[in-house]
Amino acid sequence: TNLVTPIATAMLDSVPMVAITGQVGQAVIGTDAFQEIDITGITIPITKHNFLIRSVADIGPTIQKAFHLASTGRPGPVLVDIPKDVLLAAGELTPNTKLDMPGYRPTTTPHRRQIRLAAEEIRKSNKPLILAGHGILISSASDELTTLVEKAEIPVGLTLLGIGGFPQSHQLCLGMVGMHGFAHANRAIHEADLIIGVGMRFDDRVTGKLSEFAPNARFIHIDIDPAEIGKNIVPNVPVVGDARQALRMLADELEPLTHEDWLAEIDEWRRVPAYRIRPSRDLGPQYVMERLHHLTKGNAVVTTDVGQHQMWAAQFYKCDHPNNWVSSGGLGTMGYGVPSALGAALGRPEAEVWSIVGDGGVQMTLFEFATLVQENANVKIGIINNGYLGMVRQWQQLFHDRNYSQTLISGPDFVALGTAYGIPSRKVERREEVDEAIKWASGINGPVLIEFVVGQEENVYPMIPSGASFRELIEEGV
């Protein structure tokens, strides 16, 4: 049952995962035997598919199917439950065979007619905008997206999990959109006459109030999962297929285009800075993220937990490289930051991995500190400590008259805790200490912990309230 939350996280974020679980022996299934749980029944709504194996001869073919299902089409989690008597049985290893799954035929190549219709919509538009989601990264379509964007001169907004799919230093990148996206990016959506959603699902954190989302726009929706098309936004041109293939075909279909007036209008909106550093304020988490980006040259792999620090990292760590941003999107799973950093470090041992976490979320999985030390994983833990469950406190401040309830938290001495685990640890409380601490951490090959003590009532801005529209955007200082 401890797998249920990670499986749901993988399902909502389209992460390929195979979970193999042990079940009680078949003779006692259904008798409420010791440690018997109907894990296949529990996970039906949160898996792409799941299996209960009944014979040792079925293990090989089932595992082959599980990995195929998890990694093709729209990726997702697959669970394989194996009873104890099957695990203990002897059998012959079944070689891989050609899979015959007539009920599973994901469409990868888009229909040419739909591509032509999409191209015509782009030609007719004066204010087009691409919304790039996680599907860009899943299909390795970053180069194809850049080719299309530069050829048709279309600005790009990124969803939370689309970060890294298009370089944020590119002049046509608007940064993150949605609830805590940049004001200029959300205004561009509001003013656009064509929205091209690629590998994204028009989730509520991007759209806000659906009836007022992009009120002047027509829609093209490109996605490999036909169930997503028309679910929230009914597109004028639906395109079912792999993002990489669709973008390549669309770029080939289009001649070079220009949208100078549209880009100049957006650039004018960009002149308002996203964040102002005031001399008298406490250590700002935004400043920490800006300095981390500068000192790592934007090359680190950044994983986050969930909350205010996640949004500050998304806003101010300008990610230019695919798969250097790892975060929990659809489920918003607190405790995600440190374990995901461990996975990133083991998968890419040559990389410098920074795990940006809050003082609330990190306490949910800080037992993984022991694993970091055991594996000598090159993970730098940056704890943004404001003494609150900050995102919930922010909502209580803005929408519930500061009736703070169960958001003020007491944490351990994180430096002492890290030291107890054998992790070099340090506390930073002043702006002038930030650079030296980050350089110190980067110079150590192995786990490091820095606790950044920031202002307790620092908020994430801008913010579009849940269920509201761009017209109700709250900016800093309001």
Side-chain angles (χ1 to χ4, degrees), residues 151-409:
K151 186 174 186 179
E153 208 173 62
I154 303 175
V156 179
L158 303 171
T159 69
L160 177 65
L161 293 189
I163 290 173
F166 186 74
Q168 289 186 265
S169 61
H170 197 289
Q171 61 181 356
L172 291 173
C173 186
L174 306 184
M176 187 173 69
V177 302
M179 178 175 280
H180 291 295
F182 293 114
H184 66 263
N186 284 323
R187 184 168 183 181
I189 292 174
H190 192 74
E191 300 293 336
D193 63 8
L194 178 66
I195 298 291
I196 307 159
V198 187
M200 51 86 69
R201 54 197 173 90
F202 291 102
D203 145 89
D204 66 296
R205 285 303 192 259
V206 167
T207 64
K209 189 175 184 179
L210 273 172
S211 62
E212 297 187 27
F213 176 71
N216 307 311
R218 291 172 65 80
F219 290 89
I220 299 168
H221 192 181
I222 301 170
D223 204 284
I224 199 166
D225 184 357
E228 288 298 341
I229 293 181
K231 187 178 78 175
N232 294 324
I233 295 286
V234 178
N236 301 93
V237 180
V239 180
V240 177
D242 174 72
R244 188 177 185 183
Q245 291 195 46
L247 291 170
R248 183 185 297 136
M249 292 168 68
L250 193 52
D252 290 343
E253 191 70 30
L254 282 168
E255 64 282 0
L257 300 171
T258 58
H259 297 99
E260 291 180 13
D261 292 344
W262 173 226
L263 297 179
E265 193 173 0
I266 294 173
D267 283 344
E268 194 62 35
W269 303 333
R270 280 203 231 217
R271 293 181 185 277
V272 179
Y275 167 69
R276 300 177 183 86
I277 298 174
R278 293 188 288 271
S280 60
R281 80 186 313 160
D282 296 320
L283 175 60
Q286 303 93 332
Y287 179 78
V288 174
M289 292 300 104
E290 285 182 337
R291 297 311 299 163
L292 179 63
H293 175 264
H294 176 77
L295 293 169
T296 61
K297 299 181 173 59
N299 293 324
V301 174
V302 174
T303 79
T304 77
D305 218 281
V306 170
Q308 287 180 312
H309 67 276
Q310 178 189 33
M311 295 299 108
W312 287 316
Q315 290 175 337
F316 296 102
Y317 195 93
K318 308 293 187 183
C319 186
D320 278 346
H321 308 292
N323 304 313
N324 271 19
W325 169 260
V326 184
S327 196
S328 173
L331 197 63
T333 307
M334 291 182 72
Y336 182 90
V338 172
S340 59
L342 172 61
L346 295 179
R348 291 177 58 184
E350 81 291 348
E352 179 177 346
V353 180
W354 278 84
S355 180
I356 305 302
V357 296
D359 52 313
V362 72
Q363 293 189 69
M364 297 183 178
T365 48
L366 54 74
F367 47 80
E368 295 292 5
F369 286 9
T371 319
L372 293 177
V373 173
Q374 179 176 308
E375 300 298 329
N376 195 36
N378 192 27
V379 172
K380 321 304 177 189
I381 305 165
I383 301 175
I384 306 300
N385 185 357
N386 59 8
Y388 275 103
L389 295 176
M391 188 61 82
V392 185
R393 185 212 57 75
Q394 177 170 334
W395 281 50
Q396 290 174 346
Q397 174 190 335
L398 296 178
F399 310 120
H400 300 281
D401 299 324
R402 293 183 186 267
N403 286 317
Y404 293 163
S405 175
Q406 314 308 318
T407 48
L408 181 64
I409 58 175

